[in-house]
Amino acid sequence: MASLNPSGYEKFSGSPPKQGQEAATTGIPLSSSNQYFNESCETNTRLQTKTRVPWSSGLCDCFSDWRSCCITCWCPCVTFGQIAEIVDKGSSSCGVNGALYTLIACVTGCACCYSCFYRSKMGQQYMLKKHPCGDCLVHCCCEYCALCQEYRELKTRGYDLSIGWHGNMEKRSREVAMTPIPPVVEDGMSR
């Protein structure tokens, strides 16, 4: 916006302009409610935090799914890669995430620092409670149990982690395409 003052500086006059008058540009908001922020945004955020749901299985229910438990125990990078691909919605692959997890584990010995961020991301996507404690603490203390729990959660939500994100989307689109659409029968008409 061009300044009317030749020096380029406009001083705030102290009272907001009346209807039809142009406001001086000061960078100071005149009200707390505008096109970018209003008080209902804060209220909505507070309501969302109250509606978090519990995990579908407990942290120590690893043996309820023996297959994922064994894979996670002997090769956690595979389980982590599968989880990360689904949580990232296919924007990163299982192989890349698994390799990065392995590299971090070999170099630093703390792959939990990487995997805890995916637990947080998953918790935000599905509105999951942070239980029994914070995401990073769960991964630091019980890395394998946390990975197994995340795997089971995604499986419970209908994902087949072995086929990846794109495979799951193809599977769902085929299921939707195969769902018969009931015929529309208007009142007074017979088939």
Side-chain angles (χ1 to χ4, degrees):
M1 177 178 224
S3 173
L4 300 175
N5 189 342
S7 69
Y9 176 77
E10 293 182 25
K11 187 175 179 183
F12 180 66
S13 65
S15 64
K18 293 182 171 87
Q19 289 284 344
Q21 287 183 339
E22 198 171 317
T25 306
T26 62
I28 301 170
L30 298 177
S31 76
S32 63
S33 179
N34 64 27
Q35 64 182 0
Y36 302 108
F37 172 80
N38 61 30
E39 304 228 358
S40 66
C41 291
E42 256 182 64
T43 307
N44 288 342
T45 305
R46 277 188 244 128
L47 290 175
Q48 287 177 351
T49 57
K50 291 182 181 179
T51 58
R52 293 198 172 266
V53 295
W55 290 78
S56 62
S57 62
L59 183 63
C60 297
D61 290 342
C62 300
F63 298 115
S64 64
D65 184 357
W66 281 93
R67 185 180 175 278
S68 70
C69 180
C70 290
I71 290 172
T72 304
C73 182
W74 289 306
C75 199
C77 59
V78 172
T79 303
F80 173 75
Q82 291 173 334
I83 292 166
E85 182 178 358
I86 299 295
V87 172
D88 279 342
K89 298 181 179 177
S91 65
S92 61
S93 72
C94 171
V96 170
N97 285 313
L100 190 54
Y101 180 91
T102 303
L103 181 67
I104 292 170
C106 290
V107 172
T108 66
C110 285
C112 60
C113 294
Y114 180 47
S115 59
C116 75
F117 293 112
Y118 277 91
R119 185 177 180 89
S120 296
K121 190 173 182 179
M122 186 175 161
Q124 288 173 348
Q125 285 178 0
Y126 298 111
M127 296 300 294
L128 297 167
K129 290 181 181 176
K130 293 183 179 189
H131 183 74
C133 52
D135 298 329
C136 287
L137 192 57
V138 168
H139 268 270
C140 287
C141 296
C142 309
E143 174 74 2
Y144 296 164
C145 292
L147 289 173
C148 286
Q149 184 184 34
E150 292 159 19
Y151 185 95
R152 288 190 311 274
E153 184 68 34
L154 291 171
K155 198 172 172 182
T156 301
R157 292 180 181 271
Y159 292 103
D160 179 358
L161 280 78
S162 65
I163 61 174
W165 173 259
H166 298 293
N168 277 287
M169 293 303 104
E170 286 176 23
K171 183 178 172 183
R172 287 186 181 184
S173 66
R174 272 188 262 124
E175 289 171 357
V176 169
M178 295 175 76
T179 305
I181 300 172
V184 177
V185 178
E186 294 181 24
D187 292 337
M189 295 182 73
S190 61
R191 289 185 158 187

